[in-house]
Amino acid sequence: MEDKRRNIRWQVNKDAKMDLLGDETEHLNCVIKDICVRGVRICVNQKLPQEATININLDFCVDVSLRDVEAKVVWRQESGEANAYGLSFERIRDMDKTKIYDFVHRNFPQEIRKGWWQG
């Protein structure tokens, strides 16, 4: 698979909670493997709709939560009991983009430096 990303993904490997918003909100435990302001790679035990656009809330720190983000399920890969997904943020508030950057900068500064050196 060819990597077509314009933004570097920061490796965080952080436990999180994701809410699938809809008629009945579904709460899922997941692991954020990597994240950037345009998307995220998550691992979750449940299956998400394939190649669909979903609305989510994503909580991955006490003070960091993204609300009502519209994300497209771009790919899925099975890994044992878990499923890895690539989500592309189709609609995300600028404030949430800032939260992502601040979270990574505060908790994983080496990822910011590594991304800067790699261009």
Side-chain angles (χ1 to χ4, degrees), residues 7-8 10 35-39 89 92 96-98 100-101:
N7 298 91
I8 295 170
W10 300 302
I35 192 166
C36 74
V37 296
R38 303 216 7 112
F89 297 146
I92 183 170
D96 287 339
K97 291 178 183 179
T98 301
I100 292 169
Y101 180 81

Side-chain angles (χ1 to χ4, degrees), residues 28-50:
L28 307 173
N29 291 321
C30 63
V31 175
I32 297 174
K33 297 304 238 174
D34 54 52
I35 192 166
C36 74
V37 296
R38 303 216 7 112
V40 64
R41 178 172 52 125
I42 63 167
C43 286
V44 63
N45 290 337
Q46 295 84 344
K47 290 191 177 182
L48 300 178
Q50 289 287 83

Side-chain angles (χ1 to χ4, degrees), residues 31-75:
V31 175
I32 297 174
K33 297 304 238 174
D34 54 52
I35 192 166
C36 74
V37 296
R38 303 216 7 112
V40 64
R41 178 172 52 125
I42 63 167
C43 286
V44 63
N45 290 337
Q46 295 84 344
K47 290 191 177 182
L48 300 178
Q50 289 287 83
E51 298 181 18
T53 300
I54 56 177
N55 290 322
I56 61 171
N57 290 338
L58 192 59
D59 299 315
F60 51 97
C61 191
V62 172
D63 60 343
V64 181
S65 59
L66 312 179
R67 293 286 172 246
D68 196 24
V69 174
E70 185 177 295
K72 182 174 183 174
V73 178
V74 180
W75 57 265

